[in-house]
Amino acid sequence: MKQIKWFDRKFDFAFEQNIFPSIIERLGGTSIRLNHKIGQMATEHLTAKLDGRWSIQENIGHLIDLEPLWQGRLEDILNGVEYMRAADLENRKTDQANHNEKEIDHLLNEFATLRQTTMNSLTALSEPQVYEYALHPRLKKPMRVMDLFLFVAEHDDHHLARISELNAWLTTKAKND
């Protein structure tokens, strides 16, 4: 099954319930799920590209590259800015980072370290803070802290699904060769 492109996704943050504890749980599990997935894969699959798109390692590198953005957007909301800082929609940082040249353990550890910093900030928030908001620069809609990190969890899962898709394709190709 093919997943929808990230920039084609629509988001609705109309819910009122505090689902932040579940979001934190999900975010904290990304590194664990990533490590598990990678541990099940053939090493040669990690840097292979399909149709010129990012490899498995480049998808992991992209998660690393965006973690400071999520941390900065949290700061933006808590500082009361109108608009959160914008992302580089061209993903130049990921394209230029040569993530395929790095050791996979380095990438996994770097992501885990950055995500732990984010988690430390999130677990220190009060309940009223999770309802503070700023406008998302691309979507032009208000995002509360809770919404932002649901968005991040969805982004994590989008790339985890892409990693699984790449690995499945490469595994099938290897069996047919």
Side-chain angles (χ1 to χ4, degrees):
M1 183 181 317
K2 193 167 179 85
Q3 80 173 319
I4 190 168
K5 291 181 180 177
W6 181 253
F7 288 125
D8 293 340
R9 295 269 315 261
K10 304 287 183 240
F11 295 91
D12 178 21
F13 302 116
F15 58 90
E16 295 297 322
Q17 307 94 339
N18 182 357
I19 63 168
F20 199 59
S22 297
I23 294 168
I24 286 178
E25 189 66 28
R26 213 169 137 191
L27 292 168
T30 301
S31 187
I32 296 165
R33 291 185 293 149
L34 194 53
N35 278 291
H36 177 74
K37 281 181 178 299
I38 298 306
Q40 308 297 312
M41 294 180 187
T43 304
E44 61 271 15
H45 290 187
L46 300 177
T47 57
K49 289 181 172 260
L50 172 61
D51 299 328
R53 294 172 60 200
W54 289 337
S55 69
I56 290 168
Q57 284 194 195
E58 288 168 322
N59 274 273
I60 296 167
H62 178 66
L63 294 176
I64 292 166
D65 296 338
L66 285 188
E67 200 68 15
L69 175 67
W70 311 138
Q71 294 165 356
R73 285 182 171 177
L74 174 61
E75 282 178 30
D76 292 343
I77 294 171
L78 296 176
N79 289 330
V81 302
E82 182 180 6
Y83 278 92
M84 290 181 266
R85 63 193 70 189
D88 169 16
L89 300 181
E90 302 297 319
N91 292 307
R92 286 181 290 262
K93 186 173 184 179
T94 301
D95 290 336
Q96 296 169 358
N98 295 319
H99 292 300
N100 281 340
E101 303 303 317
K102 299 173 184 171
E103 293 293 324
I104 188 63
D105 288 340
H106 171 78
L107 292 172
L108 294 170
N109 289 332
E110 186 175 1
F111 177 73
T113 299
L114 287 167
R115 179 53 58 90
Q116 188 57 55
T117 299
T118 303
M119 296 299 293
N120 292 343
S121 296
L122 296 178
T123 57
L125 295 175
S126 67
E127 188 164 348
Q129 286 177 307
V130 304
Y131 288 95
E132 292 181 23
Y133 68 92
L135 293 169
H136 186 280
R138 177 176 59 88
L139 300 175
K140 305 288 190 241
K141 30 178 18 172
M143 288 179 97
R144 301 167 294 191
V145 169
M146 182 166 39
D147 305 328
L148 170 61
F149 285 96
L150 177 58
F151 182 86
V152 173
E154 289 292 316
H155 184 263
D156 288 353
D157 288 350
H158 176 84
H159 286 282
L160 288 168
R162 177 63 182 150
I163 287 167
S164 294
E165 178 185 29
L166 276 166
N167 188 56
W169 183 84
L170 291 163
T171 300
T172 300
K173 182 178 180 278
K175 286 180 184 173
N176 293 334
D177 285 349

